[in-house]
Amino acid sequence: MMMELLMFIGWLALTGGDTLPKEGALPQKVTYVNHRLLAVTPQNKEQADFLAELENSGHLGLDVWIEPRVNHQGRVRVPPETYQRFVDLINAAGIQHEVKHENIQDLLDNPPQEKSYSGVQHYFNGIVDHTKYNDLTTINNYITGFANSFSGVSTGTLDHTTYEGRSTSYIHINNPNVSGKKRIFIEAGIHAREWVSPASSMYFVDRMLHERSIPGSQAEFLYNNFEWYIVPVTNPDGYTYTHATDRLWRKNRNTCSSIFGRGVDLNRNWDANFGGTGSSSSCFSDTFRGASVFSEAETRNIRDWVSSIQSNEGPISAYLSIHSYSQYLLVPYGYAENTVPDNNAEIRRITNLAKDAIRNLPYQKEYVVGTAPEILYVASGTSSDWARLNANIPYAMTYEMRPDANANSGFELPASEIIPTGEDLWVSMHAIVSEL
Ligand code: 0X9
Ligand code: ZN
């Protein structure tokens, strides 16, 4: 309680209370004027632990975009109010830093432009406008549009409505002329600010449906040999909030028992070492795990759909959770170091083929393969761990899409990179399912 009180006071100091909606007024947009993006590089375990402590305490309002690891540059957003304090603390601890952005609001107002990908064939032919980040209503309309325009597609909404009363749309693609297909589950948009996740999964669906009639195409192969279960926006409240109010919001919008704290990290709420390392019990934290396992409508939605598919239709062969950013392909498990499933070797073999497929595109992007503790951090209660551990799905993996971990644009990936990132997803998914 003392900790929560301290965090609350810290939070008031940071926001000045100005993000609270005034009665009768629309909530103001959260701004990031003079928030800096710092590259921070710990050189030993003590320094890395010190940074993690500063982050987890919540006192300085730090927002970690890339976790600082020993001899690896992390990326941390620091509010102006706590900047000097933070710099003093890390200087005293001997930790190096470099300012990468002086004013993150500038980055959000003027998203970076793409370098030109001349000579590369982009996919523009479908229903969806892939040249911008569409809002929830537009995405949901596209999803309904798929079912209206194509045979073998059914769409609908999942059972549980969210805290703010929204429904969650799904897409089920099932070629009625082929039986015995393997089942693939794609969960995207569980983290609100990771906009390229819903966008690249919509590209994937659009491309499969529009190219499946081309004889010998990859789309034809994907449609004829697999049954697809796809949730493009798993966190509709959070996604809406990032469009309307706060571009950098990560969690859902549930309230907590503590005053003013808001939001559960939906990728800490699953039954996979729930409550363990790499998740927080404080609602003020960006990794708040929630009051109890599966406390949230959004995680129950996926759990219940997966279990109804597995009991009524048959086993699911692969579960893919799509995030951004840092260009990682994270194999199980994330909840502890040196802990892998019995088919670890097979999962890694397949995932390395996915990595190669992405590198062989004209963009030649490098994605790093490993478990979360190996290349990122320990994270308990995540969806893909649950899929492998608890739902017994043989192949489970978490994608971190573009940009790479050193990019200073972070979640503001230029919209012109939606299609290239969608192609990363397309070729890697093709490589994965071909091996199942
Ligand atoms: O922390 C997370 O939830 C993921 N990273 S993100 O920057 N998109 O928030 C990583 C989750 C890793 N989980 C597993 N490998 N299971
Ligand atoms: Zn994420």
Side-chain angles (χ1 to χ4, degrees), residues 304-355:
D304 293 353
W305 196 27
V306 164
S307 90
S308 111
I309 295 163
Q310 303 228 87
S311 42
N312 301 324
E313 300 173 37
I316 294 173
S317 300
Y319 184 102
L320 293 315
S321 173
I322 319 292
H323 292 246
S324 73
Y325 66 95
S326 57
Q327 294 176 200
Y328 295 151
L329 302 175
L330 300 170
V331 295
Y333 291 113
Y335 70 83
E337 285 180 57
N338 305 316
T339 310
V340 293
D342 51 9
N343 65 338
N344 171 51
E346 177 67 352
I347 292 180
R348 288 202 189 230
R349 182 187 71 80
I350 296 175
T351 309
N352 277 308
L353 294 172
K355 169 201 170 78

Coordinates of all heavy atoms in Angstrom, one line a residue, residues 304-355:
D304 N -10.9 -19.2 -24.5 CA -12.1 -20.0 -24.7 C -12.3 -20.3 -26.2 O -12.8 -21.4 -26.5 CB -13.3 -19.1 -24.3 CG -13.4 -18.9 -22.8 OD1 -12.5 -19.6 -22.1 OD2 -14.2 -18.2 -22.3
W305 N -11.8 -19.5 -27.1 CA -11.9 -19.8 -28.5 C -11.0 -21.0 -28.8 O -11.4 -22.0 -29.5 CB -11.7 -18.6 -29.4 CG -12.1 -18.8 -30.8 CD1 -13.1 -19.7 -31.2 CD2 -11.6 -18.2 -32.0 NE1 -13.3 -19.6 -32.6 CE2 -12.4 -18.7 -33.1 CE3 -10.6 -17.3 -32.3 CZ2 -12.1 -18.4 -34.4 CZ3 -10.4 -16.9 -33.6 CH2 -11.1 -17.4 -34.7
V306 N -9.8 -20.9 -28.3 CA -8.8 -22.0 -28.5 C -9.4 -23.3 -28.0 O -9.3 -24.3 -28.7 CB -7.4 -21.6 -27.9 CG1 -6.6 -22.9 -27.7 CG2 -6.7 -20.6 -28.7
S307 N -9.9 -23.2 -26.8 CA -10.4 -24.5 -26.2 C -11.6 -25.0 -26.9 O -11.8 -26.2 -27.1 CB -10.5 -24.4 -24.7 OG -11.8 -24.0 -24.3
S308 N -12.5 -24.1 -27.4 CA -13.6 -24.7 -28.2 C -13.2 -25.2 -29.5 O -13.7 -26.2 -30.0 CB -14.7 -23.6 -28.3 OG -14.9 -23.1 -29.6
I309 N -12.2 -24.6 -30.2 CA -11.7 -25.2 -31.4 C -11.1 -26.6 -31.1 O -11.4 -27.6 -31.8 CB -10.6 -24.3 -32.0 CG1 -11.1 -23.0 -32.5 CG2 -9.9 -25.0 -33.2 CD1 -10.1 -21.9 -32.7
Q310 N -10.3 -26.7 -30.1 CA -9.6 -27.9 -29.8 C -10.6 -29.0 -29.4 O -10.4 -30.2 -29.7 CB -8.5 -27.8 -28.7 CG -7.5 -26.7 -29.1 CD -6.1 -27.1 -28.9 OE1 -5.5 -27.7 -29.8 NE2 -5.5 -26.8 -27.8
S311 N -11.7 -28.7 -28.7 CA -12.6 -29.7 -28.3 C -13.6 -30.0 -29.4 O -14.1 -31.2 -29.5 CB -13.2 -29.5 -26.9 OG -13.6 -28.2 -26.8
N312 N -14.0 -29.0 -30.2 CA -15.1 -29.3 -31.2 C -14.6 -29.6 -32.6 O -15.3 -30.2 -33.4 CB -16.1 -28.1 -31.3 CG -16.7 -27.8 -29.9 OD1 -17.0 -28.7 -29.2 ND2 -16.9 -26.6 -29.6
E313 N -13.4 -29.1 -32.9 CA -13.0 -29.2 -34.3 C -11.7 -30.1 -34.4 O -11.6 -31.0 -35.3 CB -12.7 -27.9 -34.9 CG -14.0 -27.0 -34.9 CD -13.8 -25.6 -35.4 OE1 -13.0 -25.3 -36.3 OE2 -14.4 -24.7 -34.8
G314 N -10.8 -29.9 -33.5 CA -9.6 -30.8 -33.6 C -8.4 -30.0 -33.1 O -8.5 -28.8 -32.8
P315 N -7.2 -30.6 -33.0 CA -6.0 -29.9 -32.4 C -5.6 -28.8 -33.3 O -5.7 -28.8 -34.5 CB -5.0 -31.0 -32.4 CG -5.5 -32.1 -33.4 CD -6.9 -32.0 -33.4
I316 N -5.0 -27.8 -32.6 CA -4.3 -26.6 -33.3 C -2.9 -27.0 -33.4 O -2.2 -27.4 -32.4 CB -4.6 -25.3 -32.5 CG1 -6.1 -25.0 -32.5 CG2 -3.8 -24.2 -33.0 CD1 -6.5 -23.8 -31.6
S317 N -2.3 -26.7 -34.5 CA -0.9 -27.1 -34.8 C 0.1 -26.0 -34.4 O 1.3 -26.3 -34.1 CB -0.6 -27.5 -36.2 OG -1.4 -28.6 -36.5
A318 N -0.3 -24.7 -34.5 CA 0.6 -23.6 -34.3 C -0.2 -22.4 -33.7 O -1.3 -22.2 -34.1 CB 1.3 -23.2 -35.6
Y319 N 0.5 -21.7 -32.8 CA 0.0 -20.5 -32.2 C 1.0 -19.4 -32.3 O 2.1 -19.5 -31.8 CB -0.3 -20.8 -30.7 CG -1.0 -19.6 -30.0 CD1 -2.4 -19.6 -29.7 CD2 -0.3 -18.5 -29.6 CE1 -3.0 -18.6 -29.1 CE2 -0.9 -17.4 -28.9 CZ -2.3 -17.5 -28.7 OH -2.9 -16.4 -28.1
L320 N 0.6 -18.3 -33.0 CA 1.6 -17.2 -33.2 C 1.0 -16.0 -32.6 O -0.1 -15.6 -32.8 CB 1.7 -17.0 -34.7 CG 2.4 -18.0 -35.6 CD1 3.7 -18.5 -35.0 CD2 1.5 -19.1 -36.0
S321 N 1.8 -15.4 -31.7 CA 1.5 -14.1 -31.1 C 2.3 -13.0 -31.7 O 3.5 -13.1 -31.7 CB 1.8 -14.2 -29.6 OG 1.6 -13.0 -28.9
I322 N 1.6 -12.0 -32.3 CA 2.3 -11.0 -33.1 C 2.5 -9.7 -32.3 O 1.5 -9.1 -31.9 CB 1.6 -10.7 -34.4 CG1 1.1 -12.0 -35.1 CG2 2.5 -9.9 -35.4 CD1 2.1 -12.9 -35.6
H323 N 3.7 -9.2 -32.1 CA 4.0 -8.0 -31.4 C 5.0 -7.1 -32.2 O 5.5 -7.5 -33.3 CB 4.7 -8.3 -30.1 CG 3.9 -9.0 -29.1 ND1 3.6 -8.4 -27.9 CD2 3.4 -10.2 -29.1 CE1 2.8 -9.3 -27.2 NE2 2.7 -10.4 -27.9
S324 N 5.3 -6.0 -31.7 CA 6.5 -5.2 -32.2 C 7.1 -4.5 -30.9 O 6.4 -4.4 -29.9 CB 6.0 -4.2 -33.2 OG 5.4 -3.1 -32.6
Y325 N 8.3 -4.0 -30.9 CA 9.2 -4.1 -32.0 C 10.5 -4.7 -31.5 O 10.7 -4.9 -30.3 CB 9.5 -2.7 -32.7 CG 10.2 -1.8 -31.8 CD1 11.6 -1.7 -31.8 CD2 9.6 -1.0 -30.8 CE1 12.3 -0.8 -31.0 CE2 10.2 -0.2 -30.0 CZ 11.6 0.0 -30.1 OH 12.3 0.8 -29.3
S326 N 11.4 -5.0 -32.5 CA 12.8 -5.4 -32.2 C 13.3 -6.5 -33.1 O 14.4 -6.9 -33.1 CB 13.1 -5.8 -30.8 OG 12.2 -6.8 -30.3
Q327 N 12.4 -7.1 -34.0 CA 12.8 -8.1 -34.9 C 13.4 -9.3 -34.2 O 14.5 -9.7 -34.5 CB 13.7 -7.5 -36.0 CG 13.0 -6.5 -36.9 CD 13.9 -5.8 -37.9 OE1 13.5 -4.8 -38.4 NE2 15.0 -6.4 -38.3
Y328 N 12.5 -9.9 -33.4 CA 12.9 -11.1 -32.7 C 11.8 -12.2 -33.0 O 10.6 -11.9 -33.2 CB 12.9 -10.9 -31.1 CG 13.9 -10.0 -30.6 CD1 13.6 -9.3 -29.4 CD2 15.1 -9.8 -31.2 CE1 14.6 -8.5 -28.8 CE2 16.1 -9.0 -30.6 CZ 15.8 -8.3 -29.5 OH 16.7 -7.5 -28.9
L329 N 12.3 -13.4 -33.0 CA 11.4 -14.6 -33.1 C 11.6 -15.3 -31.8 O 12.6 -16.0 -31.6 CB 11.6 -15.4 -34.3 CG 11.6 -14.7 -35.7 CD1 12.0 -15.6 -36.8 CD2 10.2 -14.1 -35.9
L330 N 10.6 -15.2 -30.9 CA 10.8 -15.7 -29.5 C 10.2 -17.1 -29.3 O 9.0 -17.2 -29.4 CB 10.2 -14.7 -28.5 CG 10.8 -13.3 -28.5 CD1 10.0 -12.3 -27.7 CD2 12.3 -13.3 -28.1
V331 N 11.1 -18.0 -29.1 CA 10.6 -19.4 -28.9 C 10.4 -19.7 -27.4 O 10.9 -19.0 -26.6 CB 11.6 -20.4 -29.5 CG1 11.7 -20.3 -31.0 CG2 13.0 -20.3 -28.9
P332 N 9.6 -20.7 -27.1 CA 9.3 -20.9 -25.7 C 10.5 -21.5 -24.9 O 11.3 -22.1 -25.5 CB 8.2 -22.0 -25.7 CG 7.9 -22.3 -27.1 CD 8.9 -21.6 -28.0
Y333 N 10.6 -21.3 -23.6 CA 9.6 -20.5 -22.8 C 10.2 -19.2 -22.4 O 11.4 -19.0 -22.3 CB 9.3 -21.3 -21.5 CG 8.5 -22.6 -21.8 CD1 9.0 -23.8 -21.6 CD2 7.2 -22.5 -22.3 CE1 8.3 -25.0 -21.8 CE2 6.4 -23.7 -22.5 CZ 7.0 -24.9 -22.3 OH 6.3 -26.0 -22.6
G334 N 9.2 -18.2 -22.1 CA 9.6 -16.9 -21.7 C 9.7 -16.8 -20.2 O 10.2 -15.8 -19.6
Y335 N 9.1 -17.7 -19.4 CA 8.8 -17.5 -18.0 C 10.0 -17.8 -17.1 O 10.0 -17.4 -15.9 CB 7.6 -18.3 -17.5 CG 7.8 -19.8 -17.5 CD1 8.4 -20.4 -16.4 CD2 7.3 -20.6 -18.5 CE1 8.5 -21.8 -16.3 CE2 7.4 -21.9 -18.5 CZ 8.0 -22.5 -17.4 OH 8.2 -23.9 -17.3
A336 N 11.1 -18.5 -17.6 CA 12.2 -18.8 -16.8 C 13.4 -19.0 -17.7 O 13.3 -19.4 -18.9 CB 12.0 -20.0 -15.9
E337 N 14.6 -18.8 -17.2 CA 15.8 -19.1 -17.9 C 16.1 -20.6 -18.1 O 15.7 -21.3 -17.2 CB 17.0 -18.4 -17.2 CG 17.0 -16.9 -17.4 CD 18.2 -16.3 -16.7 OE1 19.4 -16.7 -17.0 OE2 18.0 -15.4 -15.9
N338 N 16.7 -20.9 -19.2 CA 17.1 -22.3 -19.4 C 15.9 -23.3 -19.2 O 16.1 -24.4 -18.7 CB 18.2 -22.7 -18.4 CG 19.4 -21.8 -18.5 OD1 19.8 -21.4 -19.7 ND2 19.9 -21.4 -17.4
T339 N 14.7 -22.9 -19.7 CA 13.6 -23.7 -19.6 C 12.9 -23.8 -21.0 O 12.5 -22.8 -21.5 CB 12.6 -23.2 -18.6 OG1 13.3 -22.9 -17.4 CG2 11.4 -24.1 -18.3
V340 N 12.9 -25.1 -21.5 CA 12.4 -25.2 -22.9 C 11.5 -26.4 -23.0 O 11.6 -27.3 -22.1 CB 13.6 -25.4 -23.9 CG1 14.5 -24.2 -24.0 CG2 14.4 -26.6 -23.5
P341 N 10.6 -26.4 -23.9 CA 9.7 -27.6 -24.1 C 10.4 -28.8 -24.6 O 11.5 -28.6 -25.2 CB 8.6 -27.1 -25.0 CG 9.2 -25.9 -25.8 CD 10.3 -25.3 -24.9
D342 N 9.8 -30.0 -24.6 CA 10.5 -31.2 -25.0 C 10.8 -31.1 -26.5 O 11.7 -31.8 -27.0 CB 9.7 -32.4 -24.6 CG 8.2 -32.3 -25.1 OD1 7.9 -31.4 -25.8 OD2 7.4 -33.2 -24.6
N343 N 10.0 -30.4 -27.3 CA 10.3 -30.3 -28.7 C 11.0 -29.1 -29.1 O 10.9 -28.6 -30.2 CB 9.0 -30.5 -29.5 CG 8.0 -29.3 -29.3 OD1 8.1 -28.6 -28.3 ND2 7.1 -29.1 -30.2
N344 N 11.8 -28.6 -28.2 CA 12.6 -27.3 -28.4 C 13.4 -27.4 -29.7 O 13.4 -26.4 -30.5 CB 13.5 -27.1 -27.2 CG 14.5 -26.0 -27.4 OD1 14.2 -25.0 -27.8 ND2 15.8 -26.4 -27.2
A345 N 14.1 -28.5 -30.0 CA 15.0 -28.6 -31.1 C 14.2 -28.4 -32.4 O 14.6 -27.6 -33.3 CB 15.7 -29.9 -31.2
E346 N 13.0 -29.0 -32.5 CA 12.1 -28.9 -33.6 C 11.6 -27.5 -33.8 O 11.6 -26.9 -34.9 CB 11.0 -29.9 -33.5 CG 10.0 -29.9 -34.6 CD 10.5 -30.3 -36.0 OE1 11.7 -30.5 -36.1 OE2 9.7 -30.4 -36.9
I347 N 11.2 -26.9 -32.7 CA 10.7 -25.5 -32.7 C 11.8 -24.6 -33.2 O 11.6 -23.7 -34.1 CB 10.2 -25.0 -31.4 CG1 8.9 -25.8 -31.0 CG2 9.9 -23.5 -31.3 CD1 8.3 -25.4 -29.6
R348 N 13.0 -24.7 -32.8 CA 14.1 -23.9 -33.2 C 14.5 -24.1 -34.7 O 14.8 -23.1 -35.4 CB 15.3 -24.1 -32.4 CG 15.2 -23.5 -31.0 CD 16.5 -23.2 -30.3 NE 16.2 -22.9 -28.9 CZ 16.7 -21.8 -28.3 NH1 17.5 -21.0 -28.9 NH2 16.4 -21.6 -27.1
R349 N 14.4 -25.3 -35.1 CA 14.7 -25.6 -36.5 C 13.7 -24.9 -37.4 O 14.1 -24.2 -38.3 CB 14.6 -27.2 -36.7 CG 15.0 -27.6 -38.2 CD 14.7 -29.1 -38.4 NE 13.3 -29.4 -38.4 CZ 12.5 -29.2 -39.5 NH1 12.9 -28.7 -40.6 NH2 11.2 -29.5 -39.4
I350 N 12.5 -25.0 -37.1 CA 11.4 -24.4 -37.9 C 11.6 -22.8 -37.8 O 11.5 -22.2 -38.9 CB 10.0 -24.8 -37.4 CG1 9.8 -26.3 -37.6 CG2 8.9 -24.0 -38.1 CD1 8.5 -26.9 -37.1
T351 N 11.8 -22.3 -36.6 CA 11.9 -20.9 -36.5 C 13.1 -20.3 -37.2 O 13.1 -19.2 -37.8 CB 12.0 -20.5 -35.0 OG1 10.9 -21.2 -34.3 CG2 11.8 -19.0 -34.8
N352 N 14.2 -21.1 -37.3 CA 15.3 -20.6 -38.1 C 15.0 -20.6 -39.6 O 15.5 -19.7 -40.3 CB 16.6 -21.5 -37.8 CG 17.3 -21.0 -36.6 OD1 17.6 -19.9 -36.4 ND2 17.5 -22.0 -35.6
L353 N 14.1 -21.5 -40.0 CA 13.7 -21.4 -41.4 C 12.9 -20.1 -41.7 O 13.0 -19.5 -42.7 CB 12.9 -22.6 -41.8 CG 13.7 -24.0 -41.8 CD1 12.8 -25.1 -42.0 CD2 14.8 -23.9 -42.9
A354 N 12.1 -19.8 -40.7 CA 11.3 -18.5 -40.8 C 12.2 -17.3 -40.9 O 12.0 -16.4 -41.7 CB 10.4 -18.4 -39.5
K355 N 13.2 -17.3 -40.0 CA 14.2 -16.2 -40.1 C 14.9 -16.1 -41.4 O 15.1 -15.0 -42.0 CB 15.3 -16.5 -39.0 CG 16.5 -15.7 -39.0 CD 17.6 -16.4 -38.2 CE 19.0 -15.8 -38.4 NZ 19.1 -14.6 -37.6

